[in-house]
Amino acid sequence: MPVEGDKIPGIEVYHAVFEGGVRSYDELLSWREKNPLIHSLEWMP
C-alpha cells in the first residue's frame, strides 16, 4: 500500500500501461508489486 507522498516514476507508469495494459491507479499498484522495473533506463516503449 502506498504512503501519501510516494512518487511513481513516469517510466514505470508507461511500462505498466504499455506492457501490462494497466488502466487505473489500483491496477498500477498491483502491477508494480508483481513487475518491478529494475533496469528502467534499459526499457524502451
Side-chain angles (χ1 to χ4, degrees):
M1 184 60 109
V3 176
E4 186 175 332
D6 278 353
K7 298 195 185 325
I8 301 174
I11 191 136
E12 282 193 68
V13 175
Y14 286 117
H15 185 244
V17 170
F18 291 138
E19 298 292 324
V22 168
R23 296 291 181 254
S24 71
Y25 184 70
D26 289 335
E27 288 179 3
L28 175 61
L29 296 179
S30 178
W31 170 264
R32 289 182 80 208
E33 287 181 18
K34 298 173 188 163
N35 302 281
L37 187 59
I38 298 168
H39 301 289
S40 61
L41 296 178
E42 296 174 11
W43 181 79
M44 294 294 289

